[in-house]
Amino acid sequence: MTRGDSILAPAPLIDGRLSPRQLDDDIYRPLESFPTFRWWIAISITGSLAGLFAFCLYFTVSRGIGMWGNNQPVGWAFDITNFVFWIGIGHAGTLISAILYVLRQTWRTSISRFSEAMTLFAVFIALQFPLFHTGRPWQAVFWLIPFPNDMSVYQNFRSPLEWDVFAVGTYGLVSLMFWYTGLLPDLATARDRARSSLARFLYGLASLGWSGSARAWRHYEKAYILFAGLATALVISVHSVVSFDFAVAVLHGWHSTIFPPYFVAGAIFSGFAMVASLVLILRKMFRLQHIVTLSHVELMNKIIIATSLMVAYAYAMEVFMSWYSGFGPEWFQTVTRATGPYAWAYWTTIACNIVAPQFLWLRRVRRSPWLTYPIVIAVNVGMWLERFVIIVVGLHRDSLPSSWGMFFPTWVDIGLLAGSFGVFLTLVLLFCRFLPTVASTELKAVTAER
Amino acid sequence: MMEHADALLPIDVPPPRPARRLAAVAIALMILGAALCALALRNQHDRSCFAVGWLWAFCFVVSISLGSLFFLALHYLTHSIWSVVVKRVADMLAASLWLTPVLFIPVALFVLFPNRFDLFPWLGDHGDHEIHVRREYLNAPFFLARGAACVLLWSAFAWHFVRRSVRQDRADAAKSLASLLRMRAVSAPFMLVFAVTLTAASVDWLMSLEPNWISTMFGVYIFAGFTVTGLATLALATVWLRATGRLPRSLVSDGRLYSFGGLMFAFVSFWGYIAFSQYMLTWYANLPEESFYMVERAGGRWLGVSVALALVRFAIPFLVLLPRRAKMSPRLLVATSLLLIGGQLLDLYWLIARPYHSAGPAIGWQEVGPLLFCVGLLGLFVAWFVSRYPMVAAGDPMMEMSRRFRET
């Protein structure tokens, strides 16, 4: 091997040489050992926050949407901001599991399972916000899903909100099936390794009686690539449809043709930041540093800076075009964002989403979990604020100054936001206890190929 | 994806040899084109049509070369392995960016002599109060400065990548490696420059033809089209070079073409997505200050062009390239590439010519002249390049790895 080969060869998928058995031992250890003290501490904190979420939802339903800070003219605020934020978080999972699979990026294997699970949890949480914004969520099924009824009342199919129901619903279902299909061989491994008969029975049930025969593998591979292809299209379409919620409106700051790809890039950006912020902790907590290596951290950081630059391009295009057009109301909207009462949110967004990731140009920063961490946290904050800026700033100053108004969040708004993180992290912690966080079967296959 | 451990036979690099037939055809096209251009300069009407045609042909050639330069930079940026065997083809087409500073001169003349050519409506005093553009952005000196910066920067980057690549052919292993690492390092900042310059160029050369219209998506739309065109031309050139024995079949198998087909499929879908989003959002919001652009292209005989655009650039290639086998079939790949290159011509015509032909699309000899000349020039450049440089980048340190790479 010459010097060139060692520099140019792709980074190893895992550090060191592990036998399939050792790999399984490392991956399945959290499932098979009693939870650590730290895990209990963590879940009690996140569980309390999840309880806050449930309480705030109860409060919202029992007292009404008036408990939120939404008002006239700011009819959408934290709820839709949270919805778009959480849907966006899910995107990294599908990008890693589907798009990187289609692009034959084998390094994805170490983090794919975890990020797919994250997708499902994030989509589940995202759905709660529009659902509860309807006020009577138990009736929402009649309002959202079209089915024949006596009154001949149908949904408004021209509304992007109705498109959302289908886009997010399809995305959620396909993601679930894709994730579950990938999980089957690993569930079978968990079954085969299980020591208690209950665990063996439950994992056996969940693995649908996976036998590992050549025929089963053949069907599995076919289904997997099919789901990957579908999910690739869906990950683009779902956030594009979410962006239509704003872009089809004739509201300055909302109606912008670049919104679909801009939202998709932003979603992948925030999703990767979220994957990184959780994976960096988990790989340490479960001692998986040799499976989720520094090369993985570096590659994730490269995607973060690439998507950060795409988002920066979209910000720049919005500012430039509003100026170039010479159209007063558009330019007023741009100036309001930068100098109005919510200017702090706009500039924090710029600092978090555009300025902070620039440090990732340095290889040293990309390969250091400690230096990466503050950046990915900043991106999480920045991407939430970005949606807040789009939604609230767009609404609070209309074309008529007589209908201007301000939005102030109530404690219920803040409780729901904090609580949504609690639900999310609780689900993540439970997932780590009961299901393998790394796609062990696929990892064995790709390391053998290398 | 899998690699074999066994040793590979040394590559048999076909030495460069002249492409006489291509050169002859290219020169014939250039002469014919130049004659038509000269004829068109005689009177005001023909001159205006010539200006439209020149802009059309210029943007077309830029889309091929710039799309290829983007492919090349993407290759370095992503440390791509499969594409090393076809890297020189991309080098060749990217190097044709060196022609663009020359081809830009007529565009500069259109701006400097607005009364003679009448191309950009924001120039001069038309007494049209409807035009509310930013004069501080759309004015002759700034326009020329931006255009010059774009073509010079592209040429400089093409020079950087291509010169290093051809030098690798004769350099020793250490130098080759250093050169590769340098190109990788430059590819990332290039992407920033590319995004800014391509957007500036598309606003100046295409969007400003209807100065009241804006779309924040426009730069992305142009990028999608350019990339598809670059890929299609690369695939076409690769199949041609393979058929003429300049690229060994052992290096570029039908299986290797799969990656071209796959990338092309991805960018065809991307173009469809971007074009649909731009159209749908404009249609849905239906704001008169921006929907007029689509309305005037959806009425009368222009509707046919719009529908053809959707078919040629998206629907047909999407369906053709969808099956796995199609991506590996050289014949289908060539047919699709030709269709997509035609689609780029149609798209540019759709963007450029509408304001000058409001009654319906019409292509006269005045517009064909510049196209023949520019395409001929590109062909001549290709003929020169293949007569001078080997088409296998044998000195690339990644070549071994690329040869071992197998499509799965």
Side-chain angles (χ1 to χ4, degrees):
Chain A
M1 202 182 226
T2 63
R3 183 173 154 264
D5 288 347
S6 60
I7 295 179
L8 298 175
L13 295 173
I14 50 173
D15 283 344
R17 281 191 174 274
L18 291 178
S19 71
R21 176 83 204 191
Q22 286 165 317
L23 206 61
D24 276 347
D25 285 344
D26 289 339
I27 291 171
Y28 290 85
R29 193 189 311 115
L31 277 68
E32 292 161 352
S33 58
F34 196 74
T36 57
F37 183 64
R38 274 193 293 183
W39 187 85
W40 284 111
I41 300 233
I43 199 153
S44 50
I45 296 172
T46 62
S48 320
L49 277 173
L52 176 68
F53 187 73
F55 176 73
C56 288
L57 284 185
Y58 165 75
F59 209 73
T60 302
V61 172
S62 59
R63 303 272 177 100
I65 297 296
M67 289 293 100
W68 296 357
N70 299 23
N71 57 35
Q72 223 26 281
V74 188
W76 278 359
F78 266 39
D79 48 340
I80 304 298
T81 306
N82 293 342
F83 165 70
V84 181
F85 175 76
W86 282 112
I87 288 278
I89 292 299
H91 275 58
T94 321
L95 181 98
I96 293 169
S97 58
I99 297 188
L100 293 186
Y101 180 73
V102 174
L103 294 176
R104 301 177 297 207
Q105 299 295 313
T106 40
W107 63 271
R108 71 183 253 293
T109 315
S110 297
I111 50 170
S112 65
R113 169 68 41 74
F114 171 77
S115 16
E116 280 170 56
M118 211 186 74
T119 298
L120 295 172
F121 305 149
V123 170
F124 167 75
I125 293 164
L127 282 176
Q128 307 311 313
F129 292 98
L131 197 64
F132 277 83
H133 198 172
T134 63
R136 295 184 183 83
W138 56 93
Q139 292 201 352
V141 64
F142 303 105
W143 302 331
L144 298 177
I145 296 171
F147 64 85
N149 57 72
D150 291 347
M151 322 262 260
S152 291
V153 177
Y154 281 94
Q155 282 70 19
N156 179 6
F157 289 106
R158 285 183 290 182
S159 162
L161 301 180
E162 186 60 24
W163 309 342
D164 265 346
V165 175
F166 292 98
V168 179
T170 317
Y171 174 62
L173 280 176
V174 170
S175 296
L176 180 68
M177 289 190 282
F178 187 36
W179 175 74
Y180 196 72
T181 309
L183 200 53
L184 286 176
D186 292 354
L187 285 170
T189 310
R191 170 197 67 194
D192 298 342
R193 291 171 60 95
R195 270 164 297 188
S196 80
S197 51
L198 178 68
R200 191 175 311 129
F201 173 72
L202 289 176
Y203 281 124
L205 207 60
S207 69
L208 307 179
W210 177 263
S211 61
S213 69
R215 222 167 104 130
W217 273 111
R218 198 179 129 76
H219 292 161
Y220 168 88
E221 294 283 349
K222 273 217 164 131
Y224 200 78
I225 186 81
L226 202 65
F227 278 130
L230 283 175
T232 300
L234 283 170
V235 72
I236 309 285
S237 77
V238 71
H239 224 69
S240 300
V241 172
V242 167
S243 81
F244 291 163
D245 290 351
F246 310 104
V248 300
V250 280
L251 194 67
H252 307 298
W254 280 21
H255 176 68
S256 173
T257 48
I258 205 172
F259 262 34
Y262 156 37
F263 268 49
V264 173
I268 292 168
F269 179 47
S270 68
F272 259 90
M274 184 64 94
V275 172
S277 38
L278 295 179
V279 155
L280 287 175
I281 294 178
L282 287 176
R283 67 194 276 274
K284 193 146 177 71
M285 196 165 161
F286 293 120
R287 282 172 283 155
L288 294 172
Q289 283 106 325
H290 55 300
I291 292 173
V292 183
T293 64
L294 284 182
S295 309
H296 289 101
V297 177
E298 182 177 11
L299 287 165
M300 282 198 275
N301 279 330
K302 282 186 176 175
I303 294 185
I304 289 177
I305 183 151
T307 43
S308 159
L309 292 168
M310 290 180 199
V311 168
Y313 176 85
Y315 293 173
M317 277 327 283
E318 284 209 281
V319 173
F320 171 74
M321 286 296 176
S322 71
W323 175 79
Y324 170 89
S325 69
F327 188 51
E330 279 291 335
W331 181 239
F332 172 77
Q333 183 62 30
T334 305
V335 172
T336 306
R337 276 185 185 174
T339 61
Y342 294 105
W344 59 271
Y346 181 74
W347 293 109
T348 315
T349 305
I350 300 284
C352 291
N353 292 350
I354 312 299
V355 180
Q358 300 311 316
F359 290 101
L360 297 173
W361 283 95
L362 303 170
R363 186 178 151 89
R364 200 147 43 96
V365 179
R366 285 200 302 265
R367 288 187 74 86
S368 154
W370 289 104
L371 294 176
T372 300
Y373 211 76
I375 297 175
V376 294
I377 294 296
V379 172
N380 281 318
V381 173
M383 282 309 292
W384 190 87
L385 280 173
E386 178 205 289
R387 279 69 173 246
F388 180 81
V389 168
I390 292 172
I391 295 168
V392 172
V393 179
L395 289 169
H396 91 296
R397 284 190 180 175
D398 204 333
S399 301
L400 285 176
S402 59
S403 53
W404 287 3
M406 287 291 287
F407 165 81
F408 300 102
T410 63
W411 67 266
V412 182
D413 280 321
I414 294 166
L416 281 172
L417 172 61
S420 65
F421 278 91
V423 176
F424 179 71
L425 294 173
T426 306
L427 289 168
V428 167
L429 283 168
L430 288 173
F431 164 70
C432 298
R433 292 270 352 132
F434 292 109
L435 294 170
T437 42
V438 178
S440 72
T441 315
E442 201 187 323
L443 191 60
K444 280 179 247 172
V446 291
T447 41
E449 277 179 15
R450 277 275 180 90
Chain B
M1 194 67 24
M2 281 167 275
E3 290 171 22
H4 305 280
D6 48 342
L8 293 166
L9 294 170
I11 321 172
D12 155 43
V13 180
R17 60 187 162 84
R20 291 209 179 79
R21 254 174 55 199
L22 177 67
V25 172
I27 290 171
L29 285 179
M30 277 176 73
I31 292 171
L32 185 61
L36 290 175
C37 290
L39 275 178
L41 289 174
R42 284 173 316 165
N43 65 53
Q44 184 72 33
H45 170 260
D46 291 348
R47 249 197 322 267
S48 292
C49 293
F50 159 77
V52 170
W54 186 274
L55 189 65
W56 183 41
F58 170 66
C59 290
F60 176 63
V61 171
V62 170
S63 66
I64 291 176
S65 353
L66 196 59
S68 304
L69 182 63
F70 171 73
F71 175 84
L72 201 58
L74 194 68
H75 159 89
Y76 290 122
L77 185 65
T78 55
H79 302 187
S80 174
I81 298 173
W82 73 271
S83 46
V84 179
V85 294
V86 292
K87 188 182 88 168
R88 188 53 50 78
V89 188
D91 280 340
M92 173 178 79
L93 289 173
S96 66
L97 277 168
W98 300 336
L99 302 173
T100 50
V102 182
L103 295 179
F104 182 68
I105 292 170
V107 181
L109 293 177
F110 303 155
V111 175
L112 289 172
F113 301 101
N115 295 331
R116 295 183 69 79
F117 292 100
D118 197 21
L119 184 63
F120 292 100
W122 44 268
L123 274 172
D125 185 24
H126 285 250
D128 184 355
H129 298 296
E130 288 295 301
I131 296 183
H132 47 72
V133 290
R134 292 278 180 180
R135 297 272 173 200
E136 50 275 52
Y137 189 76
L138 287 181
N139 57 63
F142 197 18
F143 176 94
L144 291 175
R146 283 192 304 266
C150 287
V151 291
L152 292 176
L153 277 169
W154 297 335
S155 308
F157 275 103
W159 178 258
H160 170 88
F161 286 121
V162 179
R163 193 193 46 157
R164 274 171 195 279
S165 171
V166 294
R167 278 194 186 167
Q168 276 180 331
D169 290 352
R170 293 183 302 273
D172 57 48
K175 267 206 182 128
S176 255
L177 177 66
S179 184
L180 176 65
L181 296 180
R182 179 101 195 108
M183 288 193 277
R184 282 184 177 178
V186 172
S187 64
F190 165 75
M191 289 299 185
L192 300 183
V193 174
F194 173 72
V196 173
T197 49
L198 178 60
T199 309
S202 52
V203 169
D204 282 356
W205 303 342
L206 299 168
M207 203 163 99
S208 82
L209 295 173
E210 298 201 44
N212 283 344
W213 184 68
I214 60 151
S215 167
T216 44
M217 181 80 106
F218 196 71
V220 186
Y221 178 80
I222 296 301
F223 161 71
F226 274 34
T227 311
V228 169
T229 313
L231 282 169
T233 318
L234 280 172
L236 206 60
T238 304
V239 175
W240 173 67
L241 290 167
R242 207 177 69 158
T244 55
R246 290 183 173 86
L247 259 180
R249 217 165 255 275
S250 57
L251 216 53
V252 184
S253 61
D254 282 359
R256 191 60 59 102
L257 291 178
Y258 174 82
S259 295
F260 263 132
L263 259 186
M264 228 194 282
F265 178 74
F267 275 97
V268 161
S269 313
F270 182 68
W271 184 90
Y273 163 63
I274 296 296
F276 170 77
S277 300
Q278 178 170 269
Y279 173 74
M280 197 282 277
L281 290 174
T282 308
W283 170 78
Y284 199 110
N286 204 11
L287 296 166
E289 64 263 29
E290 67 171 31
S291 62
F292 76 92
Y293 195 85
M294 301 299 174
V295 170
E296 63 190 22
R297 283 165 177 76
R301 291 197 284 135
W302 277 95
L303 178 63
V305 181
S306 302
V307 172
L309 199 57
L311 291 175
V312 170
R313 290 217 93 168
F314 175 67
I316 299 172
F318 180 86
L319 291 175
V320 170
L321 288 176
L322 191 54
R324 190 184 175 85
R325 230 176 307 159
K327 299 187 189 88
M328 296 192 207
S329 148
R331 204 173 286 174
L332 274 179
L333 215 53
V334 166
T336 320
S337 300
L338 287 173
L339 189 73
L340 287 170
I341 293 169
Q344 174 71 0
L345 272 174
L346 194 68
D347 193 4
L348 287 172
Y349 188 77
W350 186 80
L351 291 165
I352 294 172
R354 173 61 184 77
Y356 311 96
H357 297 286
S358 42
I363 297 180
W365 56 270
Q366 304 95 325
E367 279 108 348
V368 173
L371 186 66
L372 294 181
F373 181 81
C374 291
V375 171
L377 189 63
L378 182 66
L380 193 64
F381 181 86
V382 168
W384 169 78
F385 198 95
V386 296
S387 69
R388 214 181 138 155
Y389 299 105
M391 282 296 110
V392 179
D396 192 299
M398 298 279 284
M399 185 49 103
E400 282 291 279
M401 224 183 282
S402 183
R403 289 175 69 200
R404 288 177 196 279
F405 178 86
R406 272 203 321 196
E407 306 285 345
T408 44

